[in-house]
């Protein structure tokens, strides 16, 4: 059995929702997958040159400028797509009510997780503040993490909380890092200690949020912390300086 069939079989065990149209364009599909062939070919997969640390696409081999100046707290990060075009649209729709899209992200992320993070023995997700969770109604990263737990067999950990922070959308990396200081708290250090933990998030923008979360997991005793995201921004101006 090839890898794709194995993934689909694992996902089908917990998802009895049959898909007959492409989750991106709505075109009919006939192979049980969540993307049609055209969208599969056109989505901006992040499978070219990447920074070995943060996993962003780079123009030439080597470490990106951001990681040279200040690397993330994770040992390694990878992303499925670039945060542009239809990939960015899918993430936006997923975060604004279209919860069913978690199945697409799980289907597409599972091979990446198995390939890049085979040594991770647990999966966790970026927690939301109480107000943010109440406003959205669900934690989109938890939905993906639950799916990856089922498709990969890796243990799912719910071990952290997040305090209220300022809106980050217009902040530079430096400001975001300041905003994230002491935002996360580990609630179950025993579950974290000695584990190799994979954080699941939707998008890697500046990396401030994931980095702050990784830092508290390491402080709580995690042996290693990794990051996987659905999308990543290709080339951010380091620290907001153009």
């Amino acid at each position: 059995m090839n890898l794709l069939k194995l993934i689909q079989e694992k996902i089908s065990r917990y998802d009895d929702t049959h898909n007959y149209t492409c989750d991106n364009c709505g075109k009919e599909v006939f192979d049980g997958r969540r993307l049609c062939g055209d969208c599969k070919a056109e989505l901006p997969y992040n499978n070219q040159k990447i920074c070995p640390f943060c996993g962003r696409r780079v123009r030439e081999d080597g470490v990106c400028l951001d990681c040279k100046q200040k690397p993330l707290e994770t040992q390694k990060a990878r992303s499925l797509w670039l945060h542009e075009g239809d990939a960015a649209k899918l993430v936006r729709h997923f975060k604004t009510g279209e919860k069913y899209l978690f199945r697409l992200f799980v289907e597409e992320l599972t091979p990446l997780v198995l390939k890049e993070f085979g040594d991770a023995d647990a999966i966790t997700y970026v927690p939301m503040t109480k107000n943010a969770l109440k406003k959205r109604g669900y934690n989109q990263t938890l939905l993906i993490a639950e799916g990856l737990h089922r498709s990969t067999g890796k243990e799912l950990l719910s071990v952290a909380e997040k305090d209220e922070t300022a809106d980050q959308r217009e902040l530079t990396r430096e400001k975001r890092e300041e905003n994230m200081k002491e935002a996360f708290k580990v609630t179950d250090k025993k579950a974290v200690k000695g584990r190799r933990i994979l954080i699941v998030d939707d998008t890697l923008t500046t990396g401030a949020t994931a980095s702050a979360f990784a830092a508290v997991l390491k402080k709580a005793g995690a042996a290693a912390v990794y990051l996987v995201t659905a999308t990543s921004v290709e080339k951010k101006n380091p620290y907001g300086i153009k």
Side-chain angles (χ1 to χ4, degrees), residues 9 27 46 48 60 64 81 90-91 104-105 108 113 118 128 133 145 152 165 207 216 233:
E9 179 181 309
K27 184 187 298 183
N46 187 26
Q48 303 300 315
E60 57 186 29
C64 75
W81 296 310
L90 284 166
V91 170
L104 167 62
F105 291 114
E108 290 289 313
V113 170
M128 297 175 69
L133 184 58
T152 67
T165 56
V216 299
V233 176

Side-chain angles (χ1 to χ4, degrees), residues 15-242:
D15 176 20
D16 59 0
T17 302
H18 298 286
N19 184 58
Y20 298 105
T21 59
C22 173
D23 281 344
N24 185 49
C25 71
K27 184 187 298 183
E28 282 189 298
V29 291
F30 303 97
D31 58 2
R33 301 193 65 185
R34 308 202 74 86
L35 287 175
C36 68
D38 290 341
C39 288
K40 186 80 173 175
E42 293 175 6
L43 278 164
Y45 284 86
N46 187 26
N47 54 10
Q48 303 300 315
K49 294 177 181 178
I50 61 171
C51 171
F53 297 117
C54 71
R56 300 180 195 276
R57 187 167 75 175
V58 292
R59 299 297 181 177
E60 57 186 29
D61 292 326
V63 180
C64 75
L65 182 59
D66 278 13
C67 288
K68 286 180 179 178
Q69 293 185 334
K70 191 171 185 180
L72 302 178
E73 290 287 344
T74 55
Q75 273 84 344
K76 182 172 73 171
R78 294 291 183 266
S79 59
L80 176 66
W81 296 310
L82 303 180
H83 193 71
E84 59 185 43
D86 282 352
K89 180 197 72 175
L90 284 166
V91 170
R92 184 172 66 254
H93 287 183
F94 181 41
K95 295 170 70 172
T96 54
E98 298 187 22
K99 291 172 61 176
Y100 70 91
L101 287 173
F102 86 87
R103 299 182 182 91
L104 167 62
F105 291 114
V106 171
E107 182 176 286
E108 290 289 313
L109 281 167
T110 297
L112 180 64
V113 170
L114 292 175
K115 177 183 177 182
E116 296 287 347
F117 304 104
D119 65 328
D121 48 36
I123 293 174
T124 192
Y125 54 93
V126 178
M128 297 175 69
T129 66
K130 292 180 180 179
N131 285 338
L133 184 58
K134 183 177 180 180
K135 183 178 180 180
R136 181 171 293 158
Y138 59 95
N139 183 336
Q140 74 279 2
T141 63
L142 171 57
L143 292 177
I144 299 174
E146 286 176 333
L148 290 174
H149 153 65
R150 294 183 177 96
S151 66
T152 67
K154 299 181 186 296
E155 184 179 352
L156 177 64
L157 301 180
S158 296
V159 293
E161 295 176 348
K162 184 183 179 185
D163 292 333
E164 296 295 334
T165 56
D167 192 324
Q168 298 206 120
R169 283 174 289 186
E170 301 301 324
L171 299 182
T172 64
R173 176 179 176 178
E174 189 174 30
K175 294 293 185 181
R176 288 187 182 210
E177 289 172 349
E178 184 67 27
N179 193 36
M180 285 293 109
K181 280 186 178 180
E182 300 180 0
F184 296 103
K185 178 176 67 176
V186 174
T187 56
D188 189 352
K189 293 183 179 179
K190 288 184 179 180
V192 170
K193 189 174 181 180
R195 309 296 294 279
R196 297 183 298 275
I197 301 174
L198 174 62
I199 297 172
V200 176
D201 203 356
D202 48 48
T203 300
L204 176 64
T205 309
T206 66
T209 298
S211 199
F213 187 28
V216 299
L217 290 173
K218 291 196 296 184
K219 188 176 180 180
V225 182
Y226 310 121
L227 172 68
V228 68
T229 61
T231 64
S232 62
V233 176
E234 177 184 359
K235 187 178 180 182
K236 296 298 293 181
N237 297 311
Y239 303 94
I241 302 171
K242 295 185 179 179

